Amino acid sequence: MKKKKSKGAKKINYTKKIVEYLKKRAPKKVKYKTLLKDMRGKQFDFTEFTKALEKLKRDNVIVEDQKGISLAGTKKTVVGKIVKLGKTFGFARLEDTDEEVFISGRNLLGALPGDKVKLKIFKSSRGDSPEGEVVEIVEENFSLFTGVVIGENFSLLIPDMFPQYEIIFENPLDYRLSSGDKVLAKIIKRGKRHSEHRCEIVSNLGSSQRAAVCAEGILAVNGITAEFSDEVLKNADEVSNYNEISRELKNRLDLREEKIFTIDSAHTKDIDDAISVERTKNGYKLGVHIADVSHYVKPKSELDNEAFNRGTSVYYANKVVPMLPKVLSNGICSLNEGEDRLAFSCLMEIDNSGHLLSYDFKKTVIRSRVKGVYSEINELLLGSEASDLRDKYKEVSDSFEVMRELAGKLKKNRLERGAPQIESIEGAVVIDENDVCVGVLPHERGESEEIIEDFMLMANESAARFARDNDLPFVYRVHEKPDGEKISTLGEILSLLNIPHSFEDGVSPKDLSKVLEYVKGKPSAIAINSLVLRSMSKARYSEEELGHFGLALDNYAHFTSPIRRYPDLAVHRIMSDYLETQDSGLTRARFNKFVYAASSRSSEAEIIALSVERSCNDCYKAEYLSTMTGEQADGVICSVMDFGFFVMLDNTCEGLVRTKSLSEGEYYVDNLLTLKNKTSGDSYSVGERVTVKIESCNISEGNVDFSFVKKIE
């Protein structure tokens, strides 16, 4: 006879029971074993309990990590990317909003830079900024990295991207390693904590005390290589047919008898722009002649695929990693002196006030009369009587006064438009024959550099007008209006400093120009220029015509550097297609999708290249200062943080004065511009000149530590 179930027996709702249990214990996490033990009873059904628990996880009602199980809260999980790791924390940038979220070390789940993660967001104990917890690593994007070997017998290395952790490595290729070697490594096993990750050595680059070695590592980990595949080199050799230049004459405008010449630095080998200028009855005729790279790099060829992926050439120290093989960049595409070259010319008519009357784009053949050098032409513009210089430039010297006159009018117009003239100090590193940095000098722009810049701006603006006038798909260089919140913050700082400004009705380029003009020559100029720059949007490439805030222009594109920038090559290709077909509909059909891909990839590549160039140069600067450890130097405070202040030396090298090296007391930042000691009243403000002592230099990380000596009155 079957045993009857008791009348009071009911099916247990484990979903409800688990949620109520976790609510009572929130915000604490409960270990699975504890939950299981407390759920057990006389009628416990393990299968139903497990089903309920797993469904709650799938529905994001609860989350489980190595610390235990807890309610996910009312907010859904969000997706972000790990962008930075500190010693006991990390930051993730959210996909939807670009907002950065703080994550404590215990909540990182072993996530590494570049990893795509699912985050639970909660109210931060640190203030208003959001805080998060990694509940799942959705996509692992960190594998290849550089680091420094420590301890010859302990098999440990310190990764450059998160130097607060030590990782055990394997050496399957049996490299001979010493403590302090810079190595290229890859993750071979992931753990739930950073200390549990394992890696293996891929390559030993050399001593981390050499900037050249550190730069090589920075390039490698960013996928930047000077080497080209055999297929790309073969394609480059195939198209580099110098005989074709003469055969192309019948299809092009012959400008070989025009006074066309180039102006670049003395060491430039990839010369992609030349100019010609003369007075006319109505004003001026300006020619900007650009290497016709699109004639050689055809769509979907091996060369084109490689150039698309690279996006840009990378320049650092005294080196260049080219976008195109040298047989093109330094050879058939380079506008070398006295050699016939295929060009894409922008021929402009400009009135006596410096305003554009008309433009015409033509496929041409040119022959540069001379390889001009900025420093030499600057000397001549200053009135040098040096006979060797006058002999070198005798064919084109009568163009100098005309180009100076025209450039002056173009600059005047640019300033009247209100384009902000942000002053930034750049440093040029001096490298010896052993690839060691032996000096850092402030880079000064002379008159000829400014002239060429203004001429290139005119050609770029004309190219954008060409696209608009002919209704073409295009790759524009855009610079959108500043973010309202950033401008509001800038306004608050300017008010505190009693700097006149008016942002109430939205900011215009002219508004920022007035601020920069007001602080020009004042001690705070460096800081205000930096703050204005940080308040502005980042320039990028776009298929949309969004204008250029920084230049105060409605239409702008990059046309003048197709040897070293893919967006310029893309622009040339689109314009060439239209000039050949005269059918905008056909050009749109061919390039509508292409401009999206070219704009996106070019923007990504530019960001990486700028970061790499900056990081490499920082290593070289640290290498130079390492020879001056213990010496004193003068500089200016350029920014302040809770942990100290940064000083830019007169040679443009920067270093950090940490609060722990200052007098004892509690430090805080007042108005973003002054670091104050609550106890002693000592203060250190942006713009103040100080003397510092060079204490230590980390060449591998490109960081320098100073100690404060005195203020300079």
Side-chain angles (χ1 to χ4, degrees):
M1 192 172 81
K2 288 183 179 179
K3 188 177 180 181
K4 292 182 180 179
K5 289 184 180 179
S6 63
K7 290 182 180 180
K10 287 184 180 179
K11 188 176 181 181
I12 298 172
N13 185 340
Y14 285 103
T15 299
K16 183 179 179 182
K17 191 172 182 180
I18 292 170
V19 170
E20 288 178 350
Y21 176 88
L22 293 174
K23 274 183 180 178
K24 289 179 182 178
R25 286 152 183 81
K28 290 183 179 180
K29 296 184 178 183
V30 179
K31 292 286 186 183
Y32 172 77
K33 286 183 180 178
T34 304
L35 176 64
L36 179 61
K37 178 183 174 184
D38 291 348
M39 287 289 114
R40 286 185 182 278
K42 291 181 180 178
Q43 297 162 346
F44 180 72
D45 188 324
F46 180 76
T47 302
E48 291 300 318
F49 164 76
T50 303
K51 282 181 181 179
L53 189 66
E54 292 305 314
K55 188 174 188 307
L56 287 169
K57 286 183 192 177
R58 287 196 305 273
D59 293 343
N60 286 323
V61 176
I62 65 173
V63 290
E64 181 177 15
D65 58 24
Q66 72 268 25
K67 299 270 185 183
I69 301 168
S70 63
L71 291 172
T74 55
K75 289 188 177 181
K76 293 181 180 179
T77 56
V78 293
V79 176
K81 179 192 283 188
I82 301 296
V83 291
K84 182 181 177 182
L85 287 181
K87 191 167 187 177
T88 58
F89 62 88
F91 284 94
R93 183 175 291 118
L94 302 185
E95 264 189 2
D96 294 338
T97 63
D98 268 351
E99 186 178 20
E100 286 200 356
V101 175
F102 175 86
I103 308 167
S104 64
R106 65 179 179 274
N107 290 330
L108 276 165
L109 209 63
L112 295 168
D115 283 357
K116 188 175 182 180
V117 296
K118 192 180 285 186
L119 295 160
K120 183 177 78 172
I121 307 297
F122 51 87
K123 188 174 180 180
S124 174
S125 57
R126 301 163 56 250
D128 295 331
S129 56
E131 192 166 338
E133 176 184 355
V134 177
V135 296
E136 182 185 348
I137 298 175
V138 179
E139 188 178 317
E140 296 177 356
N141 281 320
F142 185 92
S143 177
L144 198 65
F145 66 99
T146 53
V148 177
V149 173
I150 57 170
E152 296 185 26
N153 301 316
F154 298 100
S155 298
L156 292 174
L157 68 82
I158 300 175
D160 291 332
M161 290 188 75
F162 42 102
Q164 62 284 351
Y165 299 104
E166 297 172 357
I167 296 183
I168 295 174
F169 68 81
E170 297 176 10
N171 186 12
L173 299 176
D174 201 26
Y175 284 107
R176 192 169 183 175
L177 301 171
S178 299
S179 184
D181 280 354
K182 173 80 73 170
V183 296
L184 194 62
K186 68 176 181 180
I187 297 287
I188 56 174
K189 181 187 174 185
R190 289 267 191 149
K192 293 292 185 183
R193 295 180 176 86
H194 292 98
S195 59
E196 296 173 357
H197 297 324
R198 298 292 181 267
C199 66
E200 68 178 27
I201 306 299
V202 173
S203 175
N204 184 5
L205 303 174
S207 171
S208 61
Q209 295 306 301
R210 292 200 62 212
V213 169
C214 299
E216 188 181 341
I218 292 167
L219 293 170
V221 81
N222 283 280
I224 297 171
T225 174
E227 304 300 320
F228 290 90
S229 69
D230 291 341
E231 292 79 11
V232 172
L233 292 174
K234 181 183 177 184
N235 189 185
D237 287 335
E238 288 170 349
V239 300
S240 297
N241 183 354
Y242 286 84
N243 293 326
E244 189 179 344
I245 295 175
S246 59
R247 291 199 294 267
E248 269 287 305
L249 271 171
K250 64 180 182 296
N251 303 319
R252 293 173 176 255
L253 179 63
D254 188 351
L255 297 180
R256 290 177 296 171
E257 297 304 314
E258 297 286 321
K259 287 185 180 178
I260 294 172
F261 58 103
T262 65
I263 310 179
D264 287 279
S265 71
H267 304 294
T268 300
K269 293 178 181 176
D270 52 348
I271 305 171
D272 51 12
D273 60 85
I275 62 165
S276 58
V277 60
E278 60 182 271
R279 284 193 185 91
T280 64
K281 189 182 294 185
N282 298 318
Y284 307 89
K285 182 178 179 180
L286 172 64
V288 173
H289 313 276
I290 308 300
D292 192 4
V293 180
S294 64
H295 179 82
Y296 301 100
V297 182
K298 300 300 184 184
K300 299 181 181 178
S301 64
E302 293 288 346
L303 276 169
D304 186 44
N305 292 338
E306 183 71 13
F308 178 89
N309 288 328
R310 293 186 178 225
T312 181
S313 296
V314 179
Y315 297 84
Y316 70 97
N318 60 340
K319 297 180 177 64
V320 57
V321 180
M323 183 179 78
L324 296 169
K326 287 183 179 179
V327 68
L328 290 178
S329 63
N330 297 3
I332 200 166
C333 290
S334 187
L335 306 180
N336 298 335
E337 176 184 352
E339 299 178 10
D340 290 357
R341 287 292 185 269
L342 301 183
F344 199 172
S345 297
C346 177
L347 307 173
M348 294 164 279
E349 295 286 345
I350 299 170
D351 69 18
N352 280 309
S353 298
H355 295 110
L356 185 67
L357 293 172
S358 66
Y359 64 80
D360 196 9
F361 286 92
K362 293 286 188 183
K363 290 299 182 90
T364 59
V365 179
I366 69 168
R367 183 187 297 158
S368 173
R369 299 293 182 93
V370 63
K371 181 190 176 183
V373 176
Y374 285 128
S375 58
E376 295 174 351
I377 293 179
N378 288 337
E379 283 187 48
L380 291 170
L381 289 170
L382 289 171
S384 172
E385 295 293 335
S387 58
D388 57 335
L389 288 184
R390 293 198 170 276
D391 286 344
K392 176 179 176 180
Y393 293 98
K394 62 184 178 183
E395 280 194 83
V396 297
S397 59
D398 59 349
S399 299
F400 292 173
E401 275 307 314
V402 183
M403 69 183 195
R404 166 186 264 172
E405 186 180 290
L406 173 57
K409 294 176 179 180
L410 297 178
K411 182 177 181 180
K412 180 173 177 287
N413 292 338
R414 179 160 44 87
L415 294 176
E416 286 179 353
R417 289 199 309 267
Q421 304 301 294
I422 294 178
E423 295 179 1
S424 60
I425 302 174
E426 298 178 7
V429 297
V430 182
I431 311 298
D432 70 8
E433 65 278 3
N434 298 314
D435 213 1
V436 173
C437 185
V438 294
V440 181
L441 302 171
H443 175 69
E444 297 180 2
R445 288 198 320 150
E447 187 177 1
S448 65
E449 286 96 330
E450 292 184 4
I451 288 171
I452 292 300
E453 182 178 326
D454 278 313
F455 288 177
M456 298 302 124
L457 288 176
M458 283 295 287
N460 287 337
E461 184 183 359
S462 296
R465 289 191 184 188
F466 180 91
R468 180 197 60 190
D469 292 346
N470 295 293
D471 195 21
L472 303 177
F474 222 54
V475 177
Y476 293 98
R477 180 65 168 176
V478 301
H479 188 217
E480 293 160 276
K481 286 186 176 181
D483 174 75
E485 190 174 328
K486 288 183 178 180
I487 287 297
S488 178
T489 301
L490 175 64
E492 290 175 14
I493 296 170
L494 295 177
S495 295
L496 290 167
L497 295 173
N498 294 315
I499 296 173
H501 65 284
S502 178
F503 301 158
E504 286 79 12
D505 300 324
V507 71
S508 71
K510 192 165 282 189
D511 293 332
L512 296 182
S513 289
K514 289 177 181 176
V515 169
L516 296 175
E517 189 61 33
Y518 181 84
V519 300
K520 197 169 186 178
K522 293 186 168 89
S524 61
I526 292 175
I528 299 304
N529 272 267
S530 178
L531 286 169
V532 168
L533 182 62
R534 289 206 298 269
S535 73
M536 296 168 77
S537 303
K538 295 281 189 287
R540 61 186 177 90
Y541 297 101
S542 174
E543 69 286 348
E544 294 184 76
E545 191 179 15
L546 302 174
H548 198 293
F549 182 89
L551 294 173
L553 290 172
D554 294 329
N555 314 94
Y556 194 66
H558 274 168
F559 170 80
T560 53
S561 294
I563 286 178
R564 62 183 181 89
R565 290 192 304 229
Y566 193 83
D568 304 53
L569 174 57
V571 160
H572 277 224
R573 185 173 292 158
I574 295 163
M575 294 173 71
S576 298
D577 185 84
Y578 176 72
L579 288 175
E580 184 177 342
T581 65
Q582 294 295 309
D583 186 335
S584 58
L586 187 57
T587 301
R588 283 197 301 275
R590 287 175 176 168
F591 293 100
N592 264 338
K593 291 182 179 178
F594 170 73
V595 294
Y596 283 87
S599 298
S600 176
R601 177 56 196 154
S602 296
S603 296
E604 291 171 1
E606 180 181 61
I607 292 169
I608 294 170
L610 289 173
S611 174
V612 165
E613 290 168 2
R614 191 182 305 115
S615 297
C616 289
N617 285 332
D618 284 346
C619 293
Y620 278 100
K621 288 180 179 181
E623 180 177 60
Y624 170 62
L625 290 185
S626 69
T627 65
M628 301 166 60
T629 303
E631 296 181 22
Q632 294 185 6
D634 296 340
V636 62
I637 298 175
C638 53
S639 62
V640 295
M641 306 288 174
D642 289 329
F643 50 82
F645 56 87
F646 286 93
V647 174
M648 178 188 288
L649 302 183
D650 294 339
N651 63 7
T652 75
C653 291
E654 285 189 33
L656 172 64
V657 176
R658 300 178 187 274
T659 51
K660 65 183 181 183
S661 72
L662 300 171
S663 58
E664 290 186 6
E666 184 182 346
Y667 284 87
Y668 69 100
V669 174
D670 184 31
N671 302 334
L672 299 180
L673 293 175
T674 302
L675 180 68
K676 289 186 177 180
N677 186 325
K678 279 186 179 179
T679 311
S680 67
D682 292 342
S683 66
Y684 308 89
S685 297
V686 169
E688 287 184 327
R689 290 204 37 92
V690 294
T691 300
V692 295
K693 180 181 176 184
I694 301 165
E695 293 288 350
S696 63
C697 302
N698 188 322
I699 298 170
S700 180
E701 295 178 20
N703 294 330
V704 178
D705 276 355
F706 296 149
S707 61
F708 174 73
V709 177
K710 63 179 181 179
K711 291 185 181 181
I712 301 173
E713 302 298 335

